[in-house]
Amino acid sequence: MEFLEKLGIQKENYGSSTGQIWNESKSETKLNIHSPVNGDFIGSVYQSSEKDYESIVDTAQKAFLEWRHVPAPKRGEIVRQIGLKLREYKHPLGQLVSYEMGKSLQEGMGEVQEMIDICDFAVGISRQLYGFTMHSERPNHRMYDQYHPLGIVVTVSAFNFPVAVWAWNAMLAAVCGDVNIWKPSSKVPLTAIATQKIIAQVLKENNLPEGIFSLIVGKGSTIGERLLNDKRVPLISITGSTAVGKHAAQVIAGRFGKSILELGGNNAIILTPDADLKMAIPAVVFGAVGTAGQRCTSTRRLIIHDSIYDKVKESLVKAYTSLKIGDPLDEKNHVGPLIDKSAVKLFQLALTQAKEEGGKIIFGGEVMEGASYASECFVRPAIIEAENNFKIVQEETFAPILYLIKYKGEVSNAISLNNDVVQGLSSSIFSNNMRETEEFLSAWGSDCGIANVNIGTSGAEIGGAFGGEKETGGGRESGSDAWKTYMRRQTNTINFGTTMPLAQGIKFDI
C-alpha cells in the first residue's frame, strides 16, 4: 500500500531505536501484524532484546545530560518542527492508524491532528514553565519555587490510541527537558515505528544526539517489567487496564518512582427531562460506537429519566439502524472492526452475561458475516436495557455496548448512578436546566476527572488536562498544568542580608 511505503514500513521492521539508529537485533520473537480490517498481513516487527533495552536506557541517560542544558524555548523549537513534520505525513499516518488499529479514517486523521495540536500546545508551554515567588517571614530573604527536568520519561501506550497518547506525554516531556522512551502496544507497533521515522528526520536536521526520543517494542513480561523496576526511570506514564495499572503502581511506588495512570472508564451520560435530544442523540451514538467502543472515554451507560425513556430508546434504535459498518478506510462507514478476535469474544461474553443478569438486548450484538466483512472482527453495536448494579455493567467492556438505565425523580438520583461504579474517567449531562447542570458540576456532583455539559463523554480537547479518579488512576496528561508532572519542584530561599535569622523565630546563638 502506498501509505506504508511513504512511512517507510517494510515487510520486516526492527522494534528498537534510539532516535535515528535502529538496533538490528533478531534474537527475540517476531510479531506478525495483521489488519483487523481484512486480516491481511501488514508487516512484522522484531521485538527488542534485553541487550537492546540496556542500549536504549543508557543512550537516553546520556542524552538527558545534554538535553537539560538546552533552553526550554529552544526545546520548544524542536517540538514545533516535529509538529510541522507530522503535518506533512498526516494523511498516510492517519491511514496507517486506521488500517492497523481499525478505527475510522476520520478518527485516524483526528488522532494525528491531536499529535499536531499537542506539539503546538507544548511550544507555548516551553515559554511558560513558571514557578512563583513567596514572601518570607525573615527580613532580607526571598523565596521562590522552580521546576527542573526529571530525566527519562517512559510512555506505555495502548492499542486504541496508538500515537496520540504518546505525543501527549513525549512532547510535554521534551519541552520540560526530559527524554522519552516509548513502549507501544504490541498489537499496533507499526504506527509507532512510522512515527519514530518521522521525528528522526527532525533530529537529523538539527544534529541532535541519540536518545531524546527512543522506541522499544518488547514483551511486557521482560521489557515491561524492567521498565517498571528500573530506578533510572523516574516517571512512567501508562495507559491500559486497571489490572495492569494496579500492578505497575505497586512496583513503581516500591522504588519511589512516579507514575501517570490512565486506566479504565465506565462513562455515563445523563439525560434529564430538560435535555435537547436533537443534540444528545448524536453525541450518545458517537460516544458509544466511535472507535467501535474501544475508547477509555466511550459512552457505556446512558442514564435516562423515566419520563423520556421510551422516546430516547426509539430514537437510539433508529440512529443505530442507520449506522454503516465496514472498511474504516471508506469514509462512508461509521464503525470499523474490533482490534482482534479476542475482543470479539469479550463482546459476546458481555452480551451473554448481561442477558443472564436480566438485561434485554434491544438492538445489535451480532458478529457481522458476508462478503462485505473481510475479517471476523466486525460486530453490530449493541443496545441493552439494564440496571446499574448488574455486575457486567459495573465492568468496562472494551466494545460497542450501550446500557440503558432508567432513573426517577431528581437529578441527584441520576448523579448517584453515575458515581456508583469503581471507575471515574468521563461523564456528561444533557440538560437546559441550569440548576441540574450546576449540581452535576458541583462538589457533590460527578466524581469523574472529566465532567461535561451538553457534549458527550469522548472527544476531549488537548487543552484540558486528561485523566480520571478512583480506579481510573488519578493521573493527568495533555493540557492545563499537566506539564508539572514531568518536572521536579524545588523551593529556593535566598538570604541577601548580613544576619542569619531562623524561621519561626527560633533563637540559636553560638
Side-chain angles (χ1 to χ4, degrees):
M1 291 184 172
E2 186 179 355
F3 62 84
L4 296 176
E5 185 177 343
K6 286 182 179 179
L7 295 168
I9 298 300
Q10 310 293 322
K11 288 298 180 184
E12 290 189 343
N13 304 272
Y14 295 107
S16 172
S17 169
T18 54
Q20 301 171 67
I21 298 173
W22 292 82
N23 295 323
E24 299 183 356
S25 171
K26 294 184 178 181
S27 61
E28 300 300 311
T29 307
K30 185 169 65 173
L31 298 171
N32 293 313
I33 308 302
H34 295 80
S35 172
V37 176
N38 52 23
D40 287 355
F41 174 76
I42 310 175
S44 62
V45 179
Y46 286 102
Q47 296 192 90
S48 305
S49 66
E50 299 210 32
K51 183 178 179 181
D52 293 333
Y53 175 87
E54 282 302 321
S55 171
I56 290 283
V57 176
D58 182 60
T59 304
Q61 277 192 305
K62 292 174 182 175
F64 171 64
L65 299 180
E66 291 187 46
W67 187 239
R68 66 182 176 180
H69 282 284
V70 177
K74 297 294 185 183
R75 299 192 294 253
E77 168 57 20
I78 300 303
V79 170
R80 186 188 71 83
Q81 292 179 36
I82 291 173
L84 293 177
K85 194 67 71 175
L86 288 169
R87 284 174 169 88
E88 292 180 29
Y89 287 89
K90 178 179 177 179
H91 196 265
L93 188 56
Q95 287 177 296
L96 178 55
V97 169
S98 180
Y99 190 59
E100 186 180 27
M101 186 267 150
K103 63 176 62 176
S104 72
L105 181 58
Q106 282 293 320
E107 292 182 87
M109 298 285 283
E111 183 167 349
V112 181
Q113 187 61 49
E114 278 195 62
M115 301 173 77
I116 294 167
D117 291 344
I118 198 65
C119 286
D120 291 349
F121 181 85
V123 172
I125 290 295
S126 71
R127 294 182 181 270
Q128 300 181 78
L129 302 176
Y130 299 132
F132 57 86
T133 61
M134 299 147 282
H135 287 276
S136 173
E137 67 183 61
R138 291 169 285 185
N140 300 323
H141 281 59
R142 178 166 65 90
M143 293 176 63
Y144 68 95
D145 68 27
Q146 61 179 332
Y147 291 85
H148 295 305
L150 280 173
I152 298 173
V153 171
V154 168
T155 304
V156 179
S157 59
F159 76 84
N160 59 330
F161 277 85
V163 290
V165 172
W166 166 80
W168 290 359
N169 288 276
M171 296 304 107
L172 286 181
V175 299
C176 289
D178 301 316
V179 297
N180 186 263
I181 298 175
W182 183 9
K183 184 183 183 300
S185 166
S186 295
K187 294 184 178 184
V188 286
L190 296 176
T191 45
I193 290 169
T195 302
Q196 184 77 2
K197 290 186 175 183
I198 291 169
I199 63 173
Q201 298 175 43
V202 176
L203 301 175
K204 182 178 180 181
E205 290 164 5
N206 289 274
N207 195 31
L208 291 170
E210 294 290 307
I212 297 174
F213 296 102
S214 301
L215 175 70
I216 187 161
V217 179
K219 298 175 183 177
S221 59
T222 54
I223 301 301
E225 287 300 313
R226 289 201 63 174
L227 286 168
L228 295 181
N229 284 280
D230 199 327
K231 292 184 178 181
R232 296 170 293 180
V233 178
L235 174 64
I236 303 182
S237 173
I238 298 174
T239 302
S241 68
T242 297
V244 167
K246 283 182 177 179
H247 169 68
Q250 290 172 356
V251 175
I252 296 168
R255 60 175 177 84
F256 294 99
K258 297 173 66 177
S259 61
I260 302 172
L261 301 175
E262 299 291 354
L263 310 176
N266 196 346
N267 317 294
I269 294 178
I270 295 171
L271 299 182
T272 80
D274 287 311
D276 183 337
L277 295 184
K278 288 183 179 179
M279 291 175 59
I281 296 301
V284 171
V285 175
F286 174 73
V289 309
T291 322
Q294 297 170 114
R295 290 187 179 213
C296 49
T297 55
S298 290
T299 306
R300 310 210 178 276
R301 298 176 295 140
L302 188 61
I303 301 169
I304 313 162
H305 194 271
D306 63 345
S307 65
I308 59 171
Y309 184 87
D310 291 337
K311 183 178 181 180
V312 169
K313 181 169 70 171
E314 181 182 343
S315 297
L316 281 173
V317 170
K318 182 179 179 181
Y320 270 56
T321 302
S322 68
L323 290 174
K324 294 181 174 64
I325 305 167
D327 184 347
L329 292 172
D330 183 345
E331 295 190 62
K332 294 178 182 178
N333 291 324
H334 302 103
V335 184
L338 292 172
I339 185 64
D340 53 29
K341 293 178 183 178
S342 295
V344 174
K345 185 176 181 180
L346 289 174
F347 172 75
Q348 292 174 308
L349 288 172
L351 297 178
T352 299
Q353 185 173 340
K355 287 189 291 184
E356 290 175 350
E357 292 190 69
K360 180 182 179 182
I361 300 174
I362 60 173
F363 186 89
E366 306 90 358
V367 177
M368 308 301 288
E369 298 178 346
S372 299
Y373 307 102
S375 77
E376 298 175 17
C377 298
F378 291 87
V379 301
R380 192 179 301 281
I383 304 173
I384 303 177
E385 292 184 299
E387 298 292 338
N388 202 65
N389 60 2
F390 286 0
K391 184 179 178 181
I392 190 62
V393 175
Q394 291 285 312
E395 298 173 0
E396 178 191 40
T397 303
F398 232 48
I401 300 174
L402 179 65
Y403 298 108
L404 305 189
I405 299 163
K406 190 182 296 186
Y407 84 95
K408 297 180 180 181
E410 302 299 321
V411 72
S412 58
N413 297 327
I415 293 172
S416 294
L417 291 170
N418 175 82
N419 295 348
D420 190 24
V421 290
V422 295
Q423 309 87 354
L425 180 53
S426 187
S427 58
S428 175
I429 186 172
F430 277 81
S431 174
N432 289 326
N433 183 317
M434 183 189 72
R435 290 177 176 173
E436 291 180 333
T437 59
E438 289 297 324
E439 182 172 351
F440 179 74
L441 298 176
S442 71
W444 53 93
S446 170
D447 64 0
C448 297
I450 299 169
N452 297 328
V453 173
N454 292 332
I455 63 171
T457 59
S458 65
E461 297 181 38
I462 60 94
F466 183 90
E469 301 300 323
K470 301 189 291 188
E471 289 193 6
T472 298
R476 294 296 185 274
E477 297 171 324
S478 191
S480 186
D481 64 348
W483 62 268
K484 293 180 179 179
T485 309
Y486 304 91
M487 307 194 81
R488 57 182 177 89
R489 184 170 178 165
Q490 184 181 79
T491 299
N492 307 113
T493 306
I494 300 169
N495 179 359
F496 57 92
T498 58
T499 60
M500 184 60 66
L502 299 175
Q504 294 85 46
I506 294 172
K507 300 295 183 182
F508 186 75
D509 296 324
I510 57 172

